[in-house]
């Protein structure tokens, strides 16, 4: 099976596709018909790779975490996406999609954001490339991610609160889709994760695949081996994980581990662990695993982490789960907090709460002394300081 790329209809196995309102068909068909030709062209790649290097600051380090390795008696490397410009992996996709939108002749960009990192990254790309930017964000997330809201506004973006439903990421996506339906000709929707109708999951995964490309090169340089034994990443929609897994997903000897947000616990009624709680359904234009009632109503998710607070999972990851290609763990809020505090105190790195879920896998699974374990540190913890201080 080809795990990496969807078929021509946008399916990863049984997951994916494009389930969209009729008014969006012209937009989505335009993207489907031209995205590969544009993003694989020499001129696009030249500009994109130059910005990744000279503006974003890539390649990000692959850091051997000596103290963490000693504690868990294995070889742990951290892929430092937190050191990107804007503080997370989100900029890889935002720069790529805004460049792509310009080539499509769009002058207005909309985006959704949960933790705020994708919103900041999109606002940054729009400021750089001279496009109008509107970011939809859940009202609750606006309150708990205030530093990122301020950054977006300073960058010139308009931040519009989503006040329906749980007032979090799911509702921000709903509002962004409504906007796109109403403004189809001028607007490109920069989806921040590997979710949404085809071609978005593939488009985002390709832009984020720079993460695993660099891991292979850096690991070879540091250890003489191109492939690790394990790659661990947090998964909400799943863009950092898709990027970290991308160039390893066909390598049978590399074990992939995804950490989902367990919230108060899988059986608590307040969780976002989709592979444990979800069933086949349609969410935001894609067929995947969705947390829903028996009659198809979306169940409100919960996570201490705004970026993982989503009631579904991207089709790329749903397929990895169904085919047993990746192992999924549910990490509860308390476990994520303790892993964040531990990394801060023994390595001097404050991670984003999202990334802390990936770190918490170290307490759930036993690794051998000589195993090479790569953890994608998807973002930095500045945005979560208020939450951390409450629990210190």
């Amino acid at each position: 099976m080809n795990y990496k790329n969807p078929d021509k209809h946008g399916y990863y196995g049984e997951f994916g596709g494009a389930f969209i309102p009729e008014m969006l068909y012209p937009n989505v068909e335009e993207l489907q018909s031209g995205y590969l030709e544009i993003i694989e062209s020499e001129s696009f790649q030249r500009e994109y790779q130059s910005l990744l290097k000279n503006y974003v600051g890539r390649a990000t380090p692959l850091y051997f975490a000596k103290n963490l390795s000693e504690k868990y008696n294995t070889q742990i490397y951290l892929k430092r996406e937190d050191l990107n410009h804007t503080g997370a992996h989100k900029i890889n996709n935002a720069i790529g999609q805004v460049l792509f939108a310009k080539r499509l002749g769009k002058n207005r960009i909309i985006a959704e954001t949960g933790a705020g990192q994708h919103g900041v990254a999109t606002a940054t790309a729009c400021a750089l490339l001279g496009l109008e930017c509107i970011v939809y964000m859940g009202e609750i997330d606006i309150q708990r991610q205030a530093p990122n809201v301020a950054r977006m506004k300073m960058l010139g973006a308009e931040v519009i609160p989503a006040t329906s439903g749980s007032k979090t990421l799911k509702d921000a996506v709903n509002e962004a889709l409504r906007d796109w339906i109403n403004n189809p000709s001028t607007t490109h929707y920069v989806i921040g994760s590997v979710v949404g109708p085809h071609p978005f999951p593939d488009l985002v995964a390709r832009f984020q695949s720079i993460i695993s490309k660099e891991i292979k090169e850096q690991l070879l340089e540091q250890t003489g081996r191109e492939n690790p034994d394990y790659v661990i990443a947090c998964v909400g929609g799943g863009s950092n994980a898709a990027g970290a897994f991308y160039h390893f997903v066909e390598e049978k000897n590399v074990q992939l581990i995804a950490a989902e947000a367990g919230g108060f616990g899988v059986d608590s009624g307040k969780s976002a662990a989709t592979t444990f709680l979800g069933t086949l359904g349609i969410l935001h234009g894609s067929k995947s695993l969705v947390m829903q009632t028996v009659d198809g109503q979306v169940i409100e998710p919960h996570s201490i982490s705004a970026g993982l607070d989503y009631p579904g999972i991207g089709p790329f990851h749903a397929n990895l789960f169904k085919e047993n290609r990746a192992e999924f763990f549910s990490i509860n809020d308390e476990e994520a907090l303790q892993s964040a505090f531990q990394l801060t105190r023994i390595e001097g790195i404050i991670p984003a709460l999202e990334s802390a879920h990936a770190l918490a896998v170290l307490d759930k699974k036993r690794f051998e002394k000589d195993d090479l374990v790569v953890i994608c540190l998807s973002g930095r913890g500045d945005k979560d300081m208020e939450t951390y201080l409450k629990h210190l």
Side-chain angles (χ1 to χ4, degrees):
M1 174 173 286
N2 175 11
Y3 295 108
K4 204 156 67 170
N5 305 121
D7 65 21
K8 64 181 181 179
H9 301 296
Y11 281 90
Y12 300 83
E14 67 178 293
F15 306 105
F19 297 82
I20 48 174
E22 194 173 333
M23 287 179 71
L24 278 182
Y25 266 105
N27 293 46
V28 172
E29 284 179 343
E30 178 185 33
L31 299 181
Q32 289 173 354
S33 63
Y35 81 106
L36 286 177
E37 186 180 346
I38 291 172
I39 70 171
E40 290 177 351
S41 70
E42 189 180 333
S43 65
F44 182 93
Q45 282 297 322
R46 193 184 311 116
E47 186 174 5
Y48 178 52
Q49 296 298 334
S50 173
L51 286 171
L52 287 182
K53 179 182 177 183
N54 300 310
Y55 185 72
V56 174
R58 302 204 71 92
T60 58
L62 184 69
Y63 166 66
F64 175 63
K66 180 174 176 288
N67 299 327
L68 207 59
S69 297
E70 284 177 4
K71 177 173 172 59
Y72 289 98
N73 196 31
T74 192
Q75 309 300 305
I76 300 169
Y77 290 81
L78 304 178
K79 182 56 173 162
R80 297 292 307 277
E81 292 301 291
D82 59 312
L83 295 179
N84 281 321
H85 179 42
T86 72
H89 67 291
K90 293 293 188 182
I91 192 73
N92 305 325
N93 170 58
I95 289 272
Q97 280 208 55
V98 174
L99 276 177
F100 175 57
K102 282 199 83 165
R103 279 168 166 73
L104 292 174
K106 309 294 184 183
N107 57 21
R108 182 176 179 270
I109 297 294
I110 56 173
E112 89 297 326
T113 196
Q117 290 297 139
H118 173 58
V120 169
T122 305
T124 298
C126 288
L128 175 69
L129 297 165
L131 276 71
E132 181 186 357
C133 183
I134 291 91
V135 179
Y136 290 93
M137 190 172 188
E139 196 171 49
I140 286 174
D141 292 338
I142 285 175
Q143 292 164 12
R144 63 180 172 177
Q145 302 288 332
N148 276 343
V149 177
R151 291 163 80 196
M152 285 183 266
K153 289 179 177 177
M154 189 170 176
L155 286 158
E158 182 184 358
V159 181
I160 300 178
T163 57
S164 62
S166 61
K167 304 175 186 177
T168 56
L169 181 57
K170 164 184 70 73
D171 313 291
V173 176
N174 289 341
E175 294 301 326
L177 284 168
R178 284 192 193 99
D179 184 314
W180 200 25
I181 288 167
N182 291 325
N183 300 281
S185 58
T186 60
T187 300
H188 176 69
Y189 178 13
V190 177
I191 289 182
S193 197
V194 283
V195 299
H198 175 61
F200 283 108
D202 188 40
L203 186 65
V204 176
R206 286 171 187 269
F207 286 139
Q208 293 294 358
S209 70
I210 186 70
I211 299 172
S212 51
K213 179 176 182 288
E214 288 177 3
I215 291 171
K216 284 177 87 80
E217 294 164 355
Q218 291 165 325
L219 209 56
L220 182 63
E221 183 184 335
Q222 293 183 40
T223 70
R225 283 177 53 184
E226 202 175 40
N227 292 339
D229 295 293
Y230 296 90
V231 181
I232 307 174
C234 65
V235 173
S239 64
N240 92 92
F245 295 167
Y246 196 85
H247 289 288
F248 300 114
V249 77
E250 307 294 342
E251 304 277 0
K252 296 289 195 301
N253 294 329
V254 180
Q255 297 186 57
L256 308 177
I257 299 178
E260 290 188 294
F264 292 162
V266 169
D267 300 320
S268 67
K270 285 188 170 290
S271 180
T274 301
T275 60
F276 293 84
L277 299 169
T279 53
L280 191 64
I282 307 294
L283 181 64
H284 298 141
S286 172
K287 183 197 288 186
S288 193
L289 295 174
V290 182
M291 287 168 48
Q292 58 189 337
T293 62
V294 289
D295 56 351
Q297 298 302 306
V298 172
I299 295 170
E300 300 295 353
H302 163 80
S303 170
I304 195 170
S305 150
L308 302 182
D309 202 352
Y310 188 68
I313 192 170
F316 176 97
H317 296 296
N319 189 48
L320 296 184
F321 171 73
K322 181 168 186 275
E323 298 295 327
N324 295 313
R325 178 62 189 93
E327 187 176 4
F328 283 73
F329 285 86
S330 169
I331 307 297
N332 68 36
D333 291 351
E334 184 60 31
E335 290 164 341
L337 280 166
Q338 293 313 313
S339 292
F341 291 139
Q342 175 176 264
L343 186 73
T344 303
R345 287 166 182 162
I346 72 173
E347 291 287 356
I349 299 169
I350 303 175
L353 267 167
E354 290 78 13
S355 313
H357 285 72
L359 293 161
V361 170
L362 294 170
D363 290 317
K364 299 264 187 177
K365 190 172 177 71
R366 191 175 178 283
F367 300 98
E368 298 300 324
K369 191 176 190 311
D370 295 327
D371 284 343
L372 295 183
V373 181
V374 175
I375 301 175
C376 186
L377 202 68
S378 57
R380 66 181 184 223
D382 312 32
K383 67 186 181 57
D384 295 313
M385 288 311 297
E386 192 176 330
T387 304
Y388 286 148
L389 289 171
K390 277 181 195 167
H391 292 86
L392 262 177

